[in-house]
């Protein structure tokens, strides 16, 4: 940051949307050194509760500007309503209304909390990616108070002009009063280290991730002439969402589609999601490979060994598929968690197609999540497609994960809390993880939290399985909005939650520790807490990565 720029509060802000960061960077380059630029400000209104402002400019000699930023394609409807559009969704917005509510709260704050004279204020709406309608003018929303894409090079001048146009008895703040106001507002600024504040941003971050994932679906249109390909990408690059979108596109074309994955919990989650789609867009079957195999060949022994799951079940499925009627087979197969499918499994997948040599096969996987030593889909020669950008995880989480793999994805500037580390002996990891989960309870909804173990199951999961050996009780708990979910990292593969607490309580004999920890870490979208032995974890992730983590105790 140049030394001639404005005072920045905070110096390293958190932004729920990248468009807010764009405008922040513009203003810090344009505002004079005596001005204050505040980001993500929350002001308490005694009658309405907390009001939020994307940006606030406190400009001595000019006034106080409350700024609402609206990214994406923003238009005005024929009825005079503002509308924000992306490829799959249109929603009505009230940007001036949002800014005015924050403005009123700020007026009350200035007079009641800081006990300063009323200050000249103005509200502005910034549309960094859109143009204001030609000839637009309203008494309550003047064009002067809109900064659109064409105005960005002179955004600070526009703010000054809007403040100067305010004909009120209130006066611009002096330098001393501007400093007093800025310091009083510091407590309302979003702090990524404040877990309570991070918990309140879950909805914004989810919407941001969803928008990015939807935009990525254009890739499938570009691949429409390929009937066999394999999409590879690190955790967080949007593979599962693309797999679902591909299954939906193919089903909408009238094809009978089979959607397969490896873990039961993911299959159940995918079924719940696809059941909400129109019937003509749903895949015909959504199952794990082994559940499908058992349903088709009906020869699973009462106590199957590992060899049965690895080889015999696939061979029996292939045999049953080849003998099945054409109407029972499929036009296309979409596979998520493809890295966990063994070589024999792929020949069974091919046999499930009505046209084994030309039917559609679409695989989505991540070799760095290959917890099991299986060969994957190489034998089928699928066309490889690479996803290169992490769309899901905040930068602290994504950076830690990137250090653990050979080909890390590009990271977006998703601010967030640092990875939190609680040092404890391996045998105490579960208890410490339980304690950190309780710390989150006050400000994070239970449905947004999952506690993962890297080794043996958590006692809550054990209790569920003892009550119902089928696993149905435990799996249904995933959608209980009033409780935290408990699972092993391997069982939760393919899923995500805003907040993940990891108990590094050892590793099962057949599992690879680095891959297990990588899977667990990348399940966290916004906040990750790791509890375990520092020496053991450092041997996996390296001292440089651990140096970026924030050490805390359970009581903090």
């Amino acid at each position: 940051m140049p030394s001639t720029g404005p005072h920045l509060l905070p110096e390293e802000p958190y932004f729920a949307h990248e468009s807010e960061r764009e405008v922040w960077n513009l203003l810090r380059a344009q505002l004079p050194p005596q001005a204050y630029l505040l980001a993500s400000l929350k002001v308490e209104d005694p009658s309405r509760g907390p009001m939020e402002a994307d940006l606030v400019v406190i400009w001595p000699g000019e006034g106080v500007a409350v700024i609402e930023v609206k990214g994406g394609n923003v238009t005005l409807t024929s009825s005079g309503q503002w509308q924000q559009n992306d490829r799959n969704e249109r929603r009505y917005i009230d940007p001036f209304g949002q800014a005015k509510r924050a403005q009123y709260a700020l007026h009350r704050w200035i007079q009641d909390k800081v006990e300063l004279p009323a200050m000249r204020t103005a509200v502005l709406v910034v549309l960094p990616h859109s143009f204001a309608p030609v000839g637009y003018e309203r008494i309550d929303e003047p064009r002067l108070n809109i900064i659109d894409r064409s105005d960005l090079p002179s955004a600070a001048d526009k703010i000054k002009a809007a403040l100067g146009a305010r004909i009120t008895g209130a006066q611009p703040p002096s330098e001393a009063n501007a400093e007093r106001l800025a310091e009083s507002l510091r407590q309302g600024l979003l702090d990524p280290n404040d877990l309570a504040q991070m918990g309140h941003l879950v909805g914004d971050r989810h919407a941001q991730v969803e928008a990015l994932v939807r935009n990525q679906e254009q890739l499938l249109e570009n691949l429409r002439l390929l009937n066999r390909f394999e999409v590879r990408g690190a955790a967080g690059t949007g593979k599962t969402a693309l797999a679902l979108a591909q299954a939906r596109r193919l089903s909408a074309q009238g094809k009978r589609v089979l959607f397969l994955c490896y873990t039961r919990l993911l299959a159940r989650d995918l079924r719940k999601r696809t059941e909400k789609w129109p019937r003509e867009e749903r895949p015909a079957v959504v199952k794990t490979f082994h559940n499908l195999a058992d349903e088709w060949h009906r020869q699973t022994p009462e106590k199957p060994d590992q060899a049965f799951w690895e080889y015999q079940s696939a061979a029996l499925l292939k045999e049953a598929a080849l003998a099945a009627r054409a109407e029972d087979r499929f036009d296309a197969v979409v596979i998520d968690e493809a890295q966990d499918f063994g070589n024999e499994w792929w020949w069974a997948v091919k046999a499930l197609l009505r046209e084994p040599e030309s039917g559609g096969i679409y695989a989505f996987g991540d070799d760095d999540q290959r917890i099991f030593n299986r060969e994957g889909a190489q034998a089928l020669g699928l066309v490889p497609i690479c996803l290169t950008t992490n769309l899901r995880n905040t930068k602290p989480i994504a950076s830690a994960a990137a250090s653990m793999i050979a080909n890390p994805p590009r990271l977006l500037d998703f601010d967030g809390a640092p990875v939190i580390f609680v040092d404890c002996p391996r045998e105490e990891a579960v208890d410490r993880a339980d304690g950190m989960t309780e710390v989150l309870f006050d400000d994070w909804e239970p449905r947004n939290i999952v506690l993962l173990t890297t080794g043996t199951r958590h006692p809550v999961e054990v209790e569920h399985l003892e009550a119902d050996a089928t696993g149905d009780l435990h799996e249904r708990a995933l959608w209980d909005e009033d409780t935290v979910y408990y699972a092993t990292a391997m069982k939760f593969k393919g899923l995500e939650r805003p907040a993940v607490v990891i108990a590094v309580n050892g590793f099962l004999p057949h599992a690879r520790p680095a891959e297990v920890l990588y899977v667990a870490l990348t399940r966290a979208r916004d906040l990750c807490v790791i509890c375990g032995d520092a020496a053991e974890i450092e041997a996996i992730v390296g001292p440089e990565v651990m140096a970026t983590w924030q050490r805390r105790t359970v009581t903090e």
Side-chain angles (χ1 to χ4, degrees):
M1 181 191 73
S3 59
T4 56
H7 303 280
L8 303 178
L9 296 177
E11 290 188 6
E12 297 292 337
Y14 174 94
F15 295 100
H17 303 283
E18 282 302 295
S19 54
E20 296 168 18
R21 180 186 296 280
E22 292 176 37
V23 179
W24 163 273
N25 287 334
L26 277 170
L27 292 179
R28 75 175 187 175
Q30 296 178 19
L31 289 169
Q34 70 271 23
Y36 293 81
L37 178 58
L38 291 72
S40 304
L41 176 67
K42 187 175 292 184
V43 182
E44 191 69 30
D45 185 318
S47 59
R48 300 185 181 185
M51 298 289 123
E52 297 183 10
D54 292 337
L55 300 172
V56 171
V57 173
I58 304 173
W59 196 334
E62 303 296 341
V64 180
V66 178
I67 300 171
E68 181 69 23
V69 180
K70 291 299 179 186
N73 177 27
V74 178
T75 58
L76 196 68
T77 68
S78 58
S79 61
Q81 290 180 287
W82 290 102
Q83 185 172 266
Q84 196 170 30
N85 313 288
D86 60 34
R87 196 164 65 86
N88 292 313
E89 185 180 6
R90 297 178 181 177
R91 51 194 172 276
Y92 293 113
I93 58 175
D94 181 17
F96 277 97
Q98 288 178 265
K100 287 173 183 176
R101 288 189 287 275
Q103 179 193 35
Y104 297 148
L106 190 57
H107 276 303
R108 296 284 295 271
W109 182 273
I110 291 170
Q111 295 177 37
D112 299 344
K113 299 290 185 180
V114 198
E115 298 181 350
L116 288 171
M119 293 182 187
R120 178 188 297 169
T121 64
V123 299
L124 292 99
V125 171
V126 182
L127 311 175
H129 307 136
S130 305
F131 295 99
V134 176
Y136 178 83
E137 191 67 40
R138 288 183 181 175
I139 294 176
D140 58 338
E141 298 179 5
R143 175 64 178 86
L144 182 64
N145 292 58
I146 300 175
I147 300 175
D148 71 2
R149 185 174 172 181
S150 65
D151 300 319
L152 294 179
S154 57
D157 292 337
K158 290 275 292 186
I159 293 171
K160 185 176 180 179
L163 289 167
R166 296 287 293 167
I167 306 174
T168 66
Q171 298 299 309
S174 65
E175 289 199 21
N177 285 347
E179 182 179 5
R180 280 185 60 189
L181 176 58
E183 285 304 310
S184 73
L185 291 171
R186 187 187 293 271
Q187 63 183 293
L189 298 173
L190 184 61
D191 179 4
N193 292 314
D194 187 332
L195 303 187
Q197 290 188 351
M198 293 300 297
H200 298 316
L201 288 169
V202 165
D204 284 343
R205 275 278 292 124
H206 178 71
Q208 186 179 27
V209 171
E210 288 291 296
L212 287 169
V213 168
R214 284 196 299 270
N215 289 338
Q216 187 171 254
E217 289 177 13
Q218 176 61 36
L219 173 66
L220 299 176
E221 178 64 21
N222 299 336
L223 300 175
R224 66 186 185 279
L225 298 181
L226 294 178
N227 71 333
R228 294 191 176 184
F229 58 74
E230 179 182 14
V231 175
R232 303 172 184 171
T237 53
K239 297 182 300 300
T240 298
L242 274 182
L244 282 170
Q246 178 69 352
R248 190 171 189 169
R249 288 163 64 93
L250 296 170
S251 299
Q253 294 169 15
K255 296 181 178 179
R256 179 171 163 79
V257 178
L258 169 65
F259 195 115
L260 292 177
C261 63
Y262 179 72
T263 57
R264 279 182 38 162
L265 199 59
L266 178 59
R268 189 161 188 164
D269 182 68
L270 296 175
R271 279 196 298 274
K272 286 184 72 71
R273 291 204 266 180
T274 57
E275 284 168 0
K276 298 176 182 177
W277 298 351
R279 184 173 298 277
E280 65 274 11
E281 298 178 7
R282 298 177 202 164
V285 176
V286 179
K287 288 185 179 293
T288 68
F289 177 85
H290 285 125
N291 279 349
L292 182 80
D294 180 63
E295 184 180 283
W296 276 55
H297 62 64
R298 299 291 184 184
Q299 297 185 51
T300 302
E302 186 175 339
K303 294 183 178 180
D305 58 16
Q306 191 63 27
F308 178 84
W309 294 127
E310 289 290 339
Y311 307 108
Q312 294 168 253
S313 182
L316 289 169
L317 173 58
K318 179 182 176 182
E319 182 181 324
L322 291 174
R325 299 176 305 170
E327 56 264 34
D328 292 331
R329 299 202 295 270
F330 303 90
D331 298 303
V333 183
V334 177
I335 301 105
D336 197 17
E337 301 181 292
Q339 74 281 346
D340 290 329
F341 279 47
N343 190 48
E344 290 79 6
W345 305 16
W346 288 99
W347 300 120
V349 165
K350 189 176 177 181
L352 287 163
L353 292 167
R354 290 170 175 167
E355 300 291 340
E357 299 305 321
S358 60
I361 299 178
Y362 309 94
F364 298 78
D366 174 12
D367 285 343
D368 290 304
Q369 295 184 65
R370 193 190 299 276
I371 293 177
F372 308 101
N373 188 24
R374 296 179 183 137
E375 294 181 11
Q378 292 92 330
L380 292 181
L382 305 182
V383 176
I385 311 294
C386 293
L387 302 179
T388 59
T389 303
N390 185 310
L391 307 176
R392 178 176 68 206
N393 310 105
T394 60
K395 198 166 185 178
I397 296 170
S399 296
S403 69
M404 301 174 67
I405 58 179
N407 297 300
R410 182 172 70 91
L411 308 184
L412 300 178
D413 284 327
F414 286 157
D415 297 314
V419 174
I420 295 171
F421 177 61
V422 177
D423 187 12
C424 63
R426 176 193 281 191
E427 56 271 18
E428 296 179 14
V430 171
D431 287 340
R432 297 293 181 91
D434 284 336
M436 284 304 300
T437 301
E438 291 178 12
V439 170
L440 299 181
F441 276 166
D442 290 339
D443 302 291
W444 292 71
E445 296 182 31
R447 65 190 176 93
N448 290 326
I449 306 171
V450 64
L451 193 159
L452 301 179
T453 58
T454 60
T456 55
R457 297 184 178 105
H458 188 279
V460 171
E461 184 178 1
V462 172
E463 182 181 326
H464 284 164
L465 294 176
E466 287 177 347
D468 177 13
T470 67
D472 182 67
L473 173 66
H474 178 61
E475 290 172 8
R476 279 191 284 111
L478 180 64
W479 296 279
D480 187 340
E481 296 193 354
D482 298 322
T483 62
V484 172
Y485 192 69
Y486 300 85
T488 62
M490 287 192 290
K491 181 173 288 186
F492 205 70
K493 194 154 57 69
L495 298 167
E496 64 174 77
R497 278 294 182 273
V500 173
V501 182
I502 304 170
V504 184
N505 62 335
F507 300 91
L508 299 178
H510 64 280
R512 296 188 278 194
E515 283 80 354
V516 173
L517 189 55
Y518 171 76
V519 167
L521 180 70
T522 53
R523 300 310 95 203
R525 194 182 71 209
D526 304 295
L527 175 68
C528 184
V529 181
I530 301 176
C531 304
D533 180 76
E536 180 178 25
I537 296 170
E538 183 178 299
I540 297 172
V541 304
E544 295 83 4
V545 173
M546 285 196 70
T548 67
W549 297 355
Q550 184 182 94
R551 295 204 176 204
R552 293 196 183 188
T553 63
V554 172
T555 56
E556 288 182 283

